């Protein structure tokens, strides 16, 4: 599993303004930015990302995943710290 495959999968499944994937060896970090996250709880935001990577998680191709799912406004406030 590599970062480009994860990024492509998420970008095909979701309408994202920003999709950044980092990591290797089964441990990855995802930053996803979209209007779709407006009015979602943090858990719901993360579930929307997990749902599209469930096969990779189930097969242990991804064994650790950190997710930051942000609205565009949240991204503008946080991107300087990420």
């Amino acid at each position: 599993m590599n970062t480009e495959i994860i990024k492509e999968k998420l970008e095909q499944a979701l309408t994202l303004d920003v999709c950044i994937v980092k990591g290797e060896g089964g441990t990855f970090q995802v930053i996803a930015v979209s209007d779709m996250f407006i009015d979602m709880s943090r858990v719901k935001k993360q579930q929307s990302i997990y749902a599209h990577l469930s096969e990779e998680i189930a097969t242990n191709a991804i064994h650790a995943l950190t997710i930051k799912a942000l609205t565009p406004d949240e991204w503008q406030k946080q991107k300087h710290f990420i």
Side-chain angles (χ1 to χ4, degrees):
M1 180 61 42
N2 69 48
T3 57
E4 286 304 312
I5 293 171
I6 295 169
K7 183 175 178 170
E8 284 179 29
K9 191 162 190 160
L10 292 175
E11 288 179 335
Q12 288 175 1
L14 303 167
T15 305
L16 300 174
D17 299 331
V18 176
C19 184
I20 300 169
V21 182
K22 298 178 183 179
E24 61 186 11
T27 302
F28 297 95
Q29 303 84 38
V30 171
I31 299 171
V33 180
S34 176
D35 283 333
M36 69 178 273
F37 299 130
I38 294 172
D39 295 327
M40 282 187 179
S41 69
R42 183 174 45 178
V43 171
K44 291 291 182 190
K45 291 175 183 180
Q46 291 179 350
Q47 287 173 338
S48 67
I49 301 295
Y50 279 122
H52 300 289
L53 300 173
S54 60
E55 183 178 321
E56 290 80 4
I57 294 167
T59 62
N60 212 31
I62 297 174
H63 62 80
L65 182 63
T66 302
I67 298 171
K68 284 192 180 258
L70 307 167
T71 66
D73 286 342
E74 291 168 334
W75 174 242
Q76 288 302 316
K77 292 174 187 171
Q78 293 184 30
K79 70 180 178 181
H80 305 291
F81 302 106
I82 296 176

